[in-house]
């Protein structure tokens, strides 16, 4: 029943994203402009998105029709990815819908990237050559829709290198990666962002499939983040990290290899989120990484809200209060940081106002 209800819920979310109002959805008009202008195709967006949009443009589809199909496909991929972690799709779709969905409904390339990344990392519950290969292919595919998908190559690296030692002492891993993130933050604070920005431009030139990506990194994505936005993102990231750490440690102690495999993937996405916090010094746009990683926190909440855990776990604070607090904090953070214009658009995106 949860799978069916969840599928219906995610179908409804896909519909809302697809039929978004052009006048109240901030990115709609630029997507439509590029879709209808072959000259800009291949420059403004990533190659994968451009190829797909060009295919349907050549078939004579309007942008509105293409957008609806695109959002349904993205939600279907996300549904499959989440289903590989948990059957509790109904809760996932509900929490996702009331927290960060409205942002992804605006940034639909990001929605597709998150969906493919979720599916890709789901194969790393069990580590073998086949699963790693599939995961790598899907991460590279995700980056063809939103270049920040390349960040999750770091997640794969962390899983492959540190998963064995993580079981022995997860606490020391958190300490070490927190220190590493702090060192990078201090480096940026004392020496400025120009050196790292130049490095990111070089990487974008090699990996990026977006024609103007290097220009955006060096020009547009260097305006920084407000103290409020930075603190909110840091606090929510740490809450998610420690929630993930607690459940990972619990699954290791119980000897449940299946749950440990799932929690291992989720824990390393939380570490990825932590390590990418310094990028917020460049621009709030990089908070997309923390938002993408939050998808896995929602998955973890859904796993531990399955009936089995509700029956065997007597600690109601862990079951209800902590995940509710974590999800609320993420939801508030990743809506507030995009500014008042976006906040005012949410009722229109969700069709509360027409």
């Amino acid at each position: 029943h949860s799978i069916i209800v969840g599928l219906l819920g995610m179908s409804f979310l896909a519909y809302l994203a697809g039929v978004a109002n052009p006048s109240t959805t901030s990115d709609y008009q630029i997507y439509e402009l590029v879709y209808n202008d072959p000259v800009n195709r291949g420059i403004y967006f990533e190659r994968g998105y451009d190829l797909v949009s060009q295919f349907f443009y050549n078939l004579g589809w309007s942008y509105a029709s293409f957008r609806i199909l695109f959002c349904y496909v993205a939600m279907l991929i996300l549904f499959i990815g989440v289903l590989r972690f948990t059957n509790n799709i109904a809760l996932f779709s509900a929490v996702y819908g009331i927290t960060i969905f409205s942002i992804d409904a605006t940034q639909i390339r990001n929605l597709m990237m998150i969906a493919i990344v979720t599916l890709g990392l789901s194969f790393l519950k069990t580590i073998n050559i086949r699963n790693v290969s599939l995961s790598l292919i899907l991460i590279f595919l995700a980056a063809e829709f939103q270049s920040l998908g390349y960040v999750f190559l770091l997640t794969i690296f962390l899983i492959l290198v540190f998963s064995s030692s993580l079981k022995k002492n997860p606490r020391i891993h958190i300490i070490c990666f927190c220190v590493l993130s702090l060192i990078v933050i201090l480096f940026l604070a004392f020496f400025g962002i120009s050196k790292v920005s130049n490095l990111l431009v070089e990487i974008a030139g090699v990996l990026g499939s977006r024609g103007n990506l290097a220009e955006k990194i060096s020009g547009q994505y260097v305006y920084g983040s407000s103290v409020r936005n930075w603190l909110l993102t840091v606090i929510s990231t740490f809450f998610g990290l420690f929630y993930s750490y607690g459940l990972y440690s619990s699954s290791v102690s119980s000897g449940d290899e299946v749950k440990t495999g799932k929690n291992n993937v989720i824990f390393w996405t939380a570490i990825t989120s932590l390590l990418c916090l310094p990028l917020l010094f460049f621009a709030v746009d990089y908070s997309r990484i923390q938002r993408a990683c939050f998808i896995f926190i929602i998955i973890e909440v859904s796993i531990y809200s399955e009936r089995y855990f509700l029956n065997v776990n007597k600690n109601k604070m862990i079951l209800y209060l902590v995940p509710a607090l974590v999800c609320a904090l993420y939801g508030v953070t990743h809506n507030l940081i995009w500014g008042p214009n976006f906040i005012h658009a949410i009722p229109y995106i969700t069709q509360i106002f027409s």
Side-chain angles (χ1 to χ4, degrees):
H1 289 158
S2 180
I3 295 175
I4 295 173
V5 171
L7 179 60
L8 293 174
M10 294 183 75
S11 297
F12 178 64
L13 295 179
Y15 168 78
L16 291 179
V19 300
N21 189 326
S23 62
T24 56
T25 306
S26 58
D27 285 0
Y28 191 107
Q29 292 179 1
I30 187 64
Y31 276 116
E32 185 173 34
L33 176 66
V34 174
Y35 181 84
N36 291 314
D37 183 5
V39 175
N40 283 318
R41 214 172 282 136
I43 298 174
Y44 206 86
F45 295 139
E46 286 78 7
R47 187 186 305 114
Y49 177 83
D50 283 331
L51 288 174
V52 173
S53 61
Q54 182 177 5
F55 175 79
F56 285 96
Y57 176 82
N58 291 338
L59 289 179
W61 285 44
S62 67
Y63 173 71
S65 299
F66 165 72
R67 182 185 176 100
I68 292 173
L69 176 64
F70 187 86
C71 291
Y72 269 104
V73 171
M75 280 296 178
L76 178 61
I77 294 171
L78 182 59
F79 171 81
I80 296 170
V82 174
L83 186 60
R84 289 179 53 80
F85 284 97
T86 176
N87 291 333
N88 197 0
I89 308 291
L91 181 63
F92 174 87
S93 62
V95 175
Y96 176 62
I98 63 177
T99 53
I100 61 171
F101 161 72
S102 294
I103 319 168
D104 289 334
T106 301
Q107 302 169 353
I108 59 169
R109 288 172 22 259
N110 204 77
L111 171 62
M112 181 64 81
M113 182 271 285
I114 289 174
I116 299 174
V117 163
T118 303
L119 179 60
L121 293 183
S122 73
F123 287 97
L124 297 182
K125 296 179 297 179
T126 302
I127 299 175
N128 54 48
I129 293 176
R130 170 185 169 274
N131 288 350
V132 172
S133 299
L134 286 171
S135 184
L136 284 169
I137 290 170
L138 287 168
I139 295 301
F140 277 108
L141 177 61
E144 288 294 318
F145 290 91
Q146 216 316 332
S147 298
L148 284 177
Y150 286 119
V151 166
F152 292 94
L153 293 173
L154 172 62
T155 309
I156 296 177
F157 172 80
L158 293 171
I159 290 172
L160 295 180
V161 174
F162 294 107
S163 289
S164 297
S165 60
L166 180 66
K167 284 186 178 181
K168 300 173 184 177
N169 197 338
R171 186 176 300 175
I172 194 66
H173 286 75
I174 286 186
I175 294 172
C176 289
F177 286 114
C178 283
V179 170
L180 177 59
S181 185
L182 179 61
I183 290 172
V184 176
I185 289 172
L186 291 174
F187 176 86
L188 292 174
F190 282 105
F191 298 101
I193 64 175
S194 60
K195 292 183 179 180
V196 180
S197 179
N198 291 336
L199 175 61
L200 292 176
V201 168
E202 292 294 328
I203 295 173
V206 175
L207 292 177
S209 67
R210 183 173 178 173
N212 66 345
L213 181 59
E215 178 186 341
K216 278 186 164 290
I217 290 174
S218 61
Q220 181 177 336
Y221 296 156
V222 290
Y223 61 86
S225 301
S226 69
V227 173
R228 184 203 69 175
N229 289 344
W230 192 83
L231 284 176
L232 281 172
T233 308
V234 169
I235 292 169
S236 60
T237 297
F238 272 95
F239 266 78
L241 174 62
F242 288 116
Y243 177 68
S244 176
Y245 161 73
L247 294 180
Y248 174 82
S249 299
S250 175
S251 65
V252 171
S253 300
S254 69
D256 189 332
E257 290 297 324
V258 174
K259 288 295 184 292
T260 299
K262 296 177 181 179
N263 286 329
N264 183 58
V265 173
I266 295 168
F267 176 81
W268 288 116
T269 61
I271 291 293
T272 302
S273 179
L274 169 72
L275 292 176
C276 291
L277 283 175
L279 291 174
L280 292 174
F281 277 93
F282 294 86
V284 73
D285 301 75
Y286 291 105
S287 67
R288 288 180 175 93
I289 299 169
Q290 284 74 34
R291 190 169 88 232
C293 293
F294 175 52
I295 290 289
F296 293 89
I297 299 296
I298 304 177
I299 290 173
E300 194 157 43
V301 170
S302 302
I303 292 172
Y304 284 88
S305 298
E306 293 172 0
R307 182 173 298 177
Y308 168 77
F309 290 100
L310 296 178
N311 290 335
V312 302
N313 197 320
K314 304 303 180 184
N315 193 332
K316 300 305 179 185
M317 185 178 76
I318 296 295
L319 283 176
Y320 300 113
L321 183 58
V322 173
L325 176 62
V326 171
C327 291
L329 187 55
Y330 266 96
V332 169
T333 295
H334 289 282
N335 283 283
L336 277 180
I337 61 179
W338 289 101
N341 290 337
F342 170 74
I343 298 296
H344 294 153
I346 290 176
Y348 297 95
I349 295 171
T350 55
Q351 300 288 308
I352 295 174
F353 297 159
S354 58

